[in-house]
Every structure is written in structure tokens, then in C-alpha cells.
Amino acid sequence: MNLDVTPIYAALLALLFVFLSLRTIRLRRRHRFALGDGATPELRRAMRAHATFAEYVPFALLLVYFVERDGAHLALVHALGLALLAGRLLHAWGVSQPREDFRFRVTGMVLSFGVLLTTALLLLLPRLS
């Protein structure tokens, strides 16, 4: 069994996570808030983009790994990885904008939920029959 696809997306998502983390740290330093957001909209948005990434990506990536481990076609694993990466990029962009265009945020969440639901079904359905 060759498990080569998921690590690519794990690495790309890790780079995005570091970017979101550093942006939050930079804004904390600029606004001088070690904790909380100090009611600073820019910092609050950066923190939410960072936090939602941390909330969704590890679980979704684990499910993608399980789908790959179960022998799914590599094109499907790539599609799942790309959808997760695109979803988190779009969501982070949308949430980060001062005049938020909800289309980015909503599309990002739809893609992220789509990966979670698709992987859950791909893992459950064969085991329930």
C-alpha cells in the first residue's frame, strides 16, 4: 500500500497554518494584546481564521488519510485534499477581510464540510454493509 498523497496536503496545510499563526502573532504584537482580541476587529478576524483552521483541518486530514489507507483511487484522495486546502484558503481569506464577502467564507465552509461528510461516508458505508 502506497500512502503518498495525504502527506502532500498535510505539508501544504501546515504551511498555511504557520502563515495564519504568524499573522495572528504579528497583529497581537502590533496591538499589544497577549491574550484576547482587545475588541480589535482585524485581530479578531485573524484569530478566527486561525482558530477555525485549527478546529477543522486535523480531523478532516485524518479522515482523508483513512480514505487513502483504505485504498481509494488517488484522484479521489487528491480531490479531497485539494477541496480541503481550497476550502481553508477561501475561508481564511473571507474571514480576514474588513468588508467581508461572505461568498468566500461560505464556499470555504461548504468545501470543508464536504470533505468531512464525503470521507465519513466513504469510511462508514462499506463497514455498515
Side-chain angles (χ1 to χ4, degrees), residues 82-109:
L82 281 171
L84 182 60
L85 181 61
R88 298 326 301 166
L89 280 166
L90 288 168
H91 184 271
W93 173 260
V95 170
S96 300
Q97 300 309 303
R99 290 179 170 249
E100 185 174 346
D101 181 342
F102 282 97
R103 292 177 296 182
F104 291 102
R105 186 176 185 175
V106 170
T107 303
M109 287 310 305

Side-chain angles (χ1 to χ4, degrees), residues 14 28 45 76:
R28 284 186 176 285
R45 288 183 171 282
L76 173 61

Side-chain angles (χ1 to χ4, degrees), residues 26-64:
R26 180 179 50 84
L27 289 169
R28 284 186 176 285
R29 292 182 73 184
R30 179 189 308 160
H31 296 290
R32 297 184 180 166
F33 291 110
L35 293 173
D37 60 29
T40 307
E42 181 184 28
L43 179 54
R44 182 179 303 133
R45 288 183 171 282
M47 288 171 59
R48 285 313 308 152
H50 180 228
T52 56
F53 186 99
E55 292 163 0
Y56 286 95
V57 169
F59 191 46
L61 199 54
L62 182 63
L63 291 170
V64 171

